[in-house]
């Protein structure tokens, strides 16, 4: 098994979860963050297409049913300060990546590796154990 027993799924991985071909890389016990739930909850509100809205609402409801989100608490807030400074040092604007930075902070604060289909979104964050999950729509490299 490549994945660890416990791990935090970022939003991209959660959205693509049903389409990921090699699930052996995923953690045995997967968690999501409250930030991911917030990101998902915006989806149904920002589309005018009824079919898209229904699909996005179903994703939110499934996530709420299957996961108890880890909070952005005081430990995560302190980790966020380090994450934001790491992003700034690497020449990236933390404000532009706020959701990703908060998710990374929750992973660090809880001692969990972060499983993502978009590892470049988390580049340069010291202390973050990152597991790159192959994106189901991208060719294998």
């Amino acid at each position: 098994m490549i994945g660890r027993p416990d791990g935090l799924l970022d939003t991209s991985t959660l959205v693509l979860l049903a389409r990921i071909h090699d699930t052996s890389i995923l953690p045995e016990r997967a968690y999501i963050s409250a930030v991911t739930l917030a990101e998902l909850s915006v989806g149904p509100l920002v589309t005018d297409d009824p079919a898209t809205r229904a699909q996005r609402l179903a994703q939110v409801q499934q996530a709420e049913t299957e996961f108890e989100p880890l909070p952005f608490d005081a430990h995560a807030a302190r980790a966020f300060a380090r994450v934001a400074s790491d992003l700034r040092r690497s020449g990236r604007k933390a404000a532009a990546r706020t959701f990703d930075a908060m998710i990374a902070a929750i992973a660090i604060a809880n001692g969990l590796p972060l499983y993502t289909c978009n590892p470049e979104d988390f580049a340069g964050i010291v202390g973050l154990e990152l597991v790159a999950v192959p994106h189901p729509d991208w060719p294998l490299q």
Side-chain angles (χ1 to χ4, degrees), residues 17 23 35 38 45-46 66 69 71 80 82 84 88 96 107 112 125 140:
L17 197 56
T23 58
V35 176
L45 303 176
V46 296
E66 293 181 13
F80 177 80
R82 293 190 308 273
R88 192 172 288 169
L112 295 171
I125 300 174
L140 296 175

Side-chain angles (χ1 to χ4, degrees), residues 78-99:
R78 286 190 290 282
F80 177 80
R82 293 190 308 273
V83 168
S85 67
D86 288 343
L87 289 173
R88 192 172 288 169
R89 271 195 284 283
S90 69
R92 300 167 74 200
K93 294 185 179 183
R97 307 256 28 117
T98 301
F99 290 143

Side-chain angles (χ1 to χ4, degrees), residues 36-62:
T36 288
L37 188 56
E39 281 189 283
L40 288 179
S41 296
V42 171
L45 303 176
V46 296
T47 182
D48 293 328
D49 179 61
T52 300
R53 183 179 302 113
Q55 182 266 332
R56 290 178 180 177
L57 187 56
Q59 276 185 323
V60 173
Q61 291 169 338
Q62 183 173 3

